[in-house]
Structure formats: C-alpha cells, structure tokens
C-alpha cells in the first residue's frame, strides 16, 4: 500500500513538472482554459493524476480554478506584476545580503560561473539566452543565501515572473540591452564576492525596482490599448 502511494505522488509530481513546462514554455497563453481531459490525453496520464498536478499549479500561482468555468492559466495584469516585483525585491535584497555574508570559495566559483554565462550570452547577442542566464544568475544568488524558505518562496514568484515576461514580450530588442544587463548585474556580483552585504542588498533592490517598474509600465500600456480597442 505504501509503495502505491509513493508511485501516485511521483506520477503527480511528474505531471506537475510537465504542465509547468507546458505553461512556462509559452505553449499556452495567460487566461487560456485547460481541461483535465486534454492534459490527460496529451501526457497519457489519468484525470485524477492530472487533477492533483493542476492543484499543485494553483498553489504555485500558475493556474487558477474559476468557479463554474474550470482551470485557467493565470492572466497578466500590471497590478499582479507590481505585487510580484515588490515582493521579489525584498527577497533578492535579503538573499544578496546573506550570500555576501556567508559566501566561501566554492560559492564564489559558482557565482562567477553564473555571471560568465550571462556575459557569454550577451556577447552572442541572443536575447533568449540572455534571459535564461539572467534568471539562472538570480537563482544562484538565492541558493548562496543558504535560506531554504526564502528559496522556496522565490521559486514560486520566479515562475510567475518568467511567464509574465515571456508573454508580454517585455525583453527589449535594441542592442543596448546586452550592455545594460551586464551593467546592472556586474556590480551586484562584485559586491557579493567582496562580502559587502550592505551594497549587495541595496544594488539588488534597486535592480528589481527598475526592472519591475518597466514591466508594470509596459503592461499598463497593453491594458490601455485593450481598453481603447474594446
């Protein structure tokens, strides 16, 4: 009996991973409906397993269960973006502070490697790779904080922000973005490596405020355009 329970939970986790990738990979738009039958057929799993996985996605903030309607991918609003980025600002400032206070040689190597990936992606002028390297660098700082609960909360927020950016086409396409992304992240990395906790926290907060305000403004423009067209 215990073995069957473990198998069931494992299947739900695998289904949750598949649905998460399906959403974050941009294969379905925010606000779109999802049905248990469709996903069960797509992933060759039972509806009960899919239902459990979708409930996990609700907890992560990627899906919502609308009464009398069904499951929907979370929709994008400027207010949602504001909430996420202000919370992310607090978490990343704390993570940068803690990382700078406890970083060792192994941690420094990890952080340098993550930043180097961002440098290489910027040099290659590949926006998709820059975005991926950007998120991985932030994750590295979170992990270096040594704060498990902080890392868990950040993961939930990061997934939602990733979806927001993908579907709002927020990443700029002009050439200066490749230099700007390094100018924003380089000083944060340097402060952490130097063990300067106050500077690291301040720079991390400022970076998130700047990025957050830009995304909120972009979404406000999209909302105004939709309202005008309605």
């Amino acid at each position: 009996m215990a073995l069957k329970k473990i198998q069931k939970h494992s299947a739900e986790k695998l289904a949750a991973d598949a649905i998460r990738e399906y959403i974050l990979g941009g294969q379905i738009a925010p606000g779109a409906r999802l049905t248990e039958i469709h996903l069960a057929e797509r992933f060759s799993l039972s509806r009960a397993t899919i239902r459990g996985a979708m409930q996990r996605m609700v907890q992560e903030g990627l899906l919502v269960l609308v009464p009398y309607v069904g499951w929907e991918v979370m929709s994008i609003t400027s207010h949602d973006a504001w909430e996420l980025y202000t919370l992310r600002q607090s978490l990343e400032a704390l993570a940068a502070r803690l990382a700078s206070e406890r970083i060792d040689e192994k941690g420094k190597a990890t952080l340098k490697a993550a930043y180097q990936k961002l440098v290489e992606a910027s040099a290659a002028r590949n926006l998709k790779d820059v975005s991926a390297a950007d998120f991985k660098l932030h994750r590295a700082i979170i992990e270096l904080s040594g704060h498990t609960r902080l890392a868990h909360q950040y993961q939930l927020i990061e997934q939602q922000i990733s979806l927001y950016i993908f579907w709002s086409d927020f990443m700029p396409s002009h050439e200066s973005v490749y230099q700007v992304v390094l100018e924003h992240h380089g000083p944060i990395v340097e402060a952490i490596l130097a063990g300067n906790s106050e500077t690291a926290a301040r720079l991390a907060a400022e970076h998130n405020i700047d990025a957050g305000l830009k995304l909120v403004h972009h979404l406000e423009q999209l909302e105004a355009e939709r309202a005008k067209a309605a």
Side-chain angles (χ1 to χ4, degrees):
M1 182 65 70
L3 181 58
K4 291 182 179 179
K5 185 175 182 180
I6 292 173
Q7 290 176 332
K8 178 176 183 294
H9 286 182
S10 177
E12 283 186 5
K13 182 181 183 304
L14 291 174
D17 291 342
I19 295 172
R20 186 184 302 107
E21 182 178 352
Y22 182 53
I23 296 172
L24 295 179
Q27 299 180 59
I28 185 166
R33 289 191 60 188
L34 286 175
T35 66
E36 295 171 10
I37 295 177
H38 169 72
L39 292 177
E41 293 176 349
R42 180 181 179 87
F43 299 120
S44 300
L45 294 168
S46 70
R47 289 184 61 182
T49 298
I50 291 296
R51 188 179 305 115
M54 294 175 85
Q55 289 170 346
R56 292 192 184 202
M57 294 300 95
V58 170
Q59 294 174 352
E60 293 185 13
L62 293 180
L63 290 180
V64 293
L65 181 56
V66 182
Y68 309 110
V69 175
W71 308 92
E72 290 184 356
V73 179
M74 69 169 188
S75 58
I76 297 173
T77 70
S78 57
H79 183 75
D80 289 333
W82 172 79
E83 286 189 352
L84 287 169
Y85 265 111
T86 51
L87 182 54
R88 186 188 184 201
Q89 168 205 340
S90 298
L91 292 175
E92 289 203 358
L94 175 58
R97 181 189 302 277
L98 294 175
S100 64
E101 292 174 348
R102 68 189 302 275
I103 196 165
D104 55 16
E105 291 305 314
K106 182 179 179 180
K108 289 180 179 180
T110 297
L111 185 58
K112 289 178 181 178
Y115 181 66
Q116 183 59 32
K117 290 291 185 182
L118 183 60
V119 171
E120 293 171 358
S122 297
R125 297 295 192 268
N126 187 312
L127 278 176
K128 183 177 180 181
D129 289 348
V130 167
S131 180
D134 184 344
F135 275 107
K136 287 181 180 179
L137 175 59
H138 284 278
R139 277 199 296 268
I141 295 173
I142 294 295
E143 291 169 3
L144 289 171
S145 73
H147 199 306
T148 304
R149 288 176 174 80
L150 186 157
H152 175 69
Q153 293 302 316
Y154 184 82
Q155 182 182 23
L156 303 184
I157 298 170
E158 182 191 42
Q159 289 170 354
Q160 295 176 53
I161 290 174
S162 176
L163 184 64
Y164 280 165
I165 291 176
F166 185 94
W167 281 105
S168 63
D169 292 326
F170 177 67
M171 286 294 288
S173 58
H174 51 80
E175 284 295 306
S176 65
V177 66
Y178 301 109
Q179 182 60 34
V180 170
V181 73
L182 298 181
E183 292 175 352
H184 282 189
H185 292 83
I188 298 173
V189 171
E190 291 175 3
I192 294 174
L193 292 173
N196 193 330
S197 61
E198 293 298 325
T199 300
R202 175 177 57 80
L203 292 174
E206 290 175 353
H207 167 61
N208 276 287
I209 291 173
D210 179 66
L213 289 176
K214 287 180 180 178
L215 179 56
V216 168
H217 179 64
H218 178 69
L219 293 175
E220 286 176 340
Q221 288 182 319
L222 292 180
E223 290 165 357
E225 291 173 3
R226 294 191 193 104
K228 187 176 181 180

